[in-house]
Amino acid sequence: MPIDFLYPEYEVIRDNTRCITCRVCERQCANEVHHYDKELNMMFSDESKCVVCHRCVSLCPTRALKIVKTDNTFKENANWTGDAITEVYRQAGTGGVLLSSMGNPKPYPIYWDKMLINASQVTNPSIDPLREPMETRTFLGKKPTKVEYDQKGGIINNLTPQLDLKVPIMFSAMSYGSISYNAHESLARAAKELGTFYNTGEGGLHKDFYKYGKNTIVQVASGRFGVYKDYLEQGSAIEIKIGQGAKPGIGGHLPGAKIVGDISKTRMIPEGSDAISPAPHHDIYSIEDLRQLVYSLKEATNYKKPVIVKIAAVHNVAAIASGIARGGADIIAIDGYRGGTGAAPTRIRDNVGIPIELALASVDQRLRDEGIRGNVSVVVGGSVRNSADIVKAIALGADAVYIGTSALLALGCHQCRSCQTGRCNWGIATQRPELVRRLNPNIGYERLVNLVHAWEHEIKEMMGGMGINSIEALRGNRLMLRGIGLNEKELSILGIKHAGE
Amino acid sequence: MNYVIIGNSAAAIGCVEGIRQVDKKGKITIISDEPHHTYSRPLISYLLLGKTDEERMKYRSDSFYEDKNVTAMLGVTVTKIDTDKRCVELEGEKPVKYDRLLVATGSRAFIPPMEGLDTVDKKFTFMKLDDAKALEDAINENSRVLIIGAGLIGLKCAEGINDRVQSIEVVDLADRILPSILDETGSAMVQKHIEDNGIKFTLSDSVAQFDKNTATLKSGKVIEFDVLVIAVGVRPNTQLVAQAGGAVNRGIVTDDRCRTTLKNIYSAGDCTESLDITTGQERILALLPNAYMQGETAGIDMAGGQKLYDKAMPMNAIGFFGLHIITAGSYNGEAAVIQSGNSYKKLVTADDTLIGYIMIGDVARAGIYTALIREKKPLSSIDFDLIKEKPQLMAFSKRERAKTLGGLR
Amino acid sequence: MLREGEVRIPAGCAISGIIAKDGEKFNGEDIIKSISVMRDRSNGLGGGFAAYGIYPEFKDYYAFHVFYDSTKAKEDCEAYINKYFETVSMSKMPTRQMKEITDEPLIWRYFVRPLQYTLFQKQVAEDEFVFQSVMFINVNIDGAFVFSSGKDMGAFKAVGFPEDVGEYYRLEEYEGYCWTAHGRYPTNTPGWWGGAHPFAMLDCSVVHNGEISSYDANRRYIEMMGYNCTLQTDTEAITYIIDYLVRQQGMTYEDAASVMAAPFWSTIESMPKAQREKMTYLRNAFASMLITGPFSILVGFTGGLMALNDRLKLRSMVIGERKNKVYIASEEAAIRVIQPDLDNIWAPKGGEPVVIRVNGGAL
Amino acid sequence: MKRIYVNEKWCLGCHLCEYYCAFANSGKNDMVKALKNITINPRIRIEEHNNVSFAVSCRHCEEPLCVKSCITGALTIKDGVISVNSDKCVGCYTCILSCPYGCISPSDQGAIQKCELCVKNAGGSPACVKGCPNKAIEWVER
């Protein structure tokens, strides 16, 4: 049907004066965009197949390639935008739910960018992190309400299990299956090197990675894939995933085509069967059910591991968090609406949930108002893009952050948002061996380590500027933030003053 | 330690370099009857061809003797080895003492008795630099050259002078060219290629009678010529060792450490016999790479180090008028032949190993085959079908590749 | 201009303290002399003193020092006090009229004890009830501010230079075994009497020089524990933290110092196991009470005095000893002026508390 | 000493090493100028078969058969690097006969060519290593 014809959104531009027909573009494109014509000794491309992953652009040794947004356009309409129109065409043609991946790309406000950080001048010296210790070590877990002394006056260690982080940055849940073995290895090795944690997501834990158990958080989600005794025992913490920012209220679906070999083994489901995670946990229909699962998991692991409950940032997140904090969880992870995913219905991704900044501010304040902030640590994720975002998150009250998309970017992701196709040219969101091979964990892990080290440096610089030399003195220190371009309501939710005040 | 080396070619140089790997200080003396700085004999045809010159022919740099702290006595002939006094006697010079002696005297051209040869004015052999220079002086664009012998030396000589003479005719008793290294198909292919470049062959025939510029063959054919080159074969220079009482068969007998049967006396190069691993027989393997490696082995052993020369085999890389030939090993086994276009390949296997091969035309990566022979690689441990197609490391196991390419120990 | 409580006010300052290790009592002249030397560190917008052992005749009663903006406030406050407390003595605070001290509020002093019936009814400890009452008055009774509430001790403070404040409160007439003083250099306050230092709660009084960068982290945490930081000053937050750790958690002052000015992790890692575990525990469990940024504080309490610097020692503080007396001040000159002949003088390291207890804690 | 090591696990078969090698040894300062419309003859070569691929270039053997066999002395080993003096080389191919890894090949100029770790060209360090997008080729001490 001619209606179904959609002009490619992006065009591959090849500078034939530069092209040396080395064919690396052709060899590296899993979408088969490029091909070589022997007769003409020239490369050609079919941009209708292009997902704009930039693999070819990045590898072209003579910079002969670029990808540009097409100037083919519908008649201008501020309401019926090109996207809006083509989505109607696509759905009219297929009758299907639109799928996409990674995080919400719509131009909603980014509150991180509407907050500014303080620095010391005169009355309080800034601290130079190159000359003075600058501490980022963070413990996650419940804090005791009362210090207990033994008969000799020594302090009794009445702490429940904690996670000990060298930096308050963890890698968020991404399952083996949604991302590749090599991506997992990169994350695991980086977490170990960095003294932090990565998260299995709901995909089980490959036996090869048991050796990184001390730096692993194992997830228990609604499909319970790969969950069994050894799995629970491997990790340093257990995370119950209730929801994720990219698709709150929605389950997961890894197509049977991806359930092959080790993935099937690790998930403990037959090869070729679809891995369907239900929308809710079918044993959690209420907060008290959650409490039971929290304690079941603690019981199963002899109360040796903190339990994290991960929820998506939704409208009444503060009340939910309060319930979780009273439900025995040691750590609450909140995922904002910009959080990434391997696949989600586009409408859900783009329209459900709330910004993490507001969710964090209201959760932190609510827990303090109730006097239970010490019951839990708060970890936030859902588009933490740089070190300043982290400083702001901690100043708003977070104990640590989860990074997912940033970690994937470090591994080479170019945000083409086509994970759901399974043809990730960067070897991340794919299980095809020839593509998986493209992510060498020796490189991947080093890049993750670099990224976190760089951010750590920057965090320390910003802390030093504020005259703070330990991360706990920044936590919840909202006086260090000022809003810019925010209205009274936003300022009050964030609990910060406006710049100039 | 006082080392004396008789000879100044590949085996001698190998010996010097071998000694110096182990012993940086000992005194080394090289004695050679040729007055030249060490040079590479196989290059004499390339010299005539203009692909090299006397300067570039030097096998090692001008400072080699100095760098290696070697006393070079060039243009000096050894007359005798005195094993009792442990010295070598020289012509016109005082004897030189040795603690360890290497005999690397090489070989000389063999000139069979031929009727009327003494009537030929311009007759040459083609072994040494001086031979080449003499030949060069004797030829001009009007020369008609008769070469006796269609072996490696004769044909390289033919190629070397082809553009500088009027005509060349090659006569050999054998029914095909290069019989020592090629099979019949290969010989025919190469012969055709050489003929295409204007050289004529008369095979299965020999000279019955020379008369000045005329050669009458046994078949009755008469060939008029201006210059005669005799390249029917070589003979090893074994006299010194034989006189001193060392064992000599066709060549000087050596063991896998390159020792002769005489105490403290070693021998290496074209004058020796060594074990051909592809046939299990002792034979003369008069090839430069072998000479070097024998010399090096001898040198290391002389200086107290450890090294064995136990992987010898015949092997040749040669080319005529742009057609390249690489061969190695022996051909008594099961043969697989692959022929395509201008290329010819024959792989010979026996007892689950490759024992020989011939490659003509496309010789890329031939060394991979050579290594299969040298290491006696069981063919069942590799993908032989793959490697038959072309030499490639893909045919080996992942693990072996991890060792060779990935540094896995 | 907004006063303390309406806005956060950073300030620089001078502090001084004297304690007699044997409990010998001495009047306020020395401490006034000492703090006056550091006049340049104050700007006339606040000065104050705390003295311990000054009310031996009422030592079982809480001495409430209260500022009133109006008689209405006084009436409301006294109604509250009368409802829950037994008052054994009440009087106008003795002061002397001076041209340097102006705009004075009504200042009253009460010696009180909670009614046993009330404590029984509310099921709280006496201390806790007093604490809650002070909080209640300060937050809810408009114009009333209890600025001293300990037993056998008192805080005296005003807007003005500290030596004038001392003269104003006639401190030469009091005798105590421990004195602390404060001269204030706030950067943006009109100067409010309640905002001057020391800040005192129950018997704990704090004089502080510095500006802590961890303020809001500390404040938001301590507020969760039931404290109400009405003044938004560092001193208030620090006082509450100490109250929380020492009175509520039962920690020693040394342990409380290990929370507030915790050793660096790198230092902790090199400690012997038992100490390492303890420090790790304290830093982890009370992370939000770590105070960073420059501070030097003197914490007065019944029977003792603690001096503590921030862990980088970003503020000056020296300690001198002469016989039974220990002198602590922001500057050495402030000690030499009253005791030129010292046995010993040193600057304590950042983060290492110096705790002096009268008669080794036997008081 | 630092050597080029290849790990086929990470080789993508993209052939970029070959192109970077050809460029580095072209003597030209622009890749387009160097490689446009030519069939490259690099000193490193990819072998490919059934989804396995890897690059092969001179191993710089400690006991180099090519050097020992060279009839002209054109091949030498210095500081662990085996290089060819193409001025001396007559193209006899004895080295091709000898190299167990097939890492020596005829050059377009008649002599032979082999990987010289980019010590003679402007690269300074091996161009194939720099050009490999997946660290399948590394230049390291091992």
Side-chain angles (χ1 to χ4, degrees), chain B residues 9 78 85 121 206 229 338 361:
Chain B
S9 201
V78 176
K85 291 186 183 155
D121 183 21
S206 60
V229 177
I338 298 162

Side-chain angles (χ1 to χ4, degrees), chain A residues 311-349:
Chain A
I311 52 170
V314 290
H315 298 179
N316 56 345
V317 64
I320 297 163
S322 160
I324 294 168
R326 294 175 191 279
D330 300 276
I331 298 162
I332 300 178
I334 311 166
D335 196 15
Y337 75 150
R338 285 192 190 273
T341 176
T346 308
R347 294 286 167 255
I348 302 281
R349 185 194 68 176

Side-chain angles (χ1 to χ4, degrees), chain D residues 8-133:
Chain D
E8 65 190 57
K9 195 172 172 190
W10 306 125
C11 178
L12 311 177
C14 72
H15 292 257
L16 278 178
C17 50
E18 297 178 348
Y19 283 86
Y20 282 107
C21 174
F23 173 42
N25 292 303
S26 69
K28 301 210 172 74
N29 59 9
D30 184 275
M31 194 181 222
V32 179
K33 194 175 161 190
L35 306 182
K36 183 98 181 150
N37 293 326
I38 63 157
T39 303
I40 59 166
N41 183 21
R43 296 155 189 212
I44 188 167
R45 292 278 184 176
I46 294 288
E47 286 192 28
E48 280 172 298
H49 182 66
N50 283 349
N51 249 329
V52 174
S53 61
F54 50 85
V56 185
S57 63
C58 175
R59 310 315 307 146
H60 295 277
C61 306
E62 279 169 25
E63 296 256 336
L65 290 169
C66 58
V67 173
K68 293 180 188 189
S69 301
C70 178
I71 67 166
T72 64
L75 281 167
T76 53
I77 179 164
K78 197 181 168 212
D79 299 329
V81 181
I82 297 168
S83 60
V84 58
N85 176 350
S86 49
D87 205 30
K88 286 190 94 171
C89 175
V90 296
C92 73
Y93 296 180
T94 306
C95 48
I96 295 177
L97 155 77
S98 306
C99 174
Y101 310 112
C103 293
I104 299 178
S105 58
S107 81
D108 297 332
Q109 283 76 39
I112 58 97
Q113 62 173 21
K114 64 177 293 303
C115 164
E116 294 171 329
L117 296 175
C118 287
V119 292
K120 287 189 193 164
N121 60 41
S125 64
C128 53
V129 173
K130 283 188 276 184
C132 177

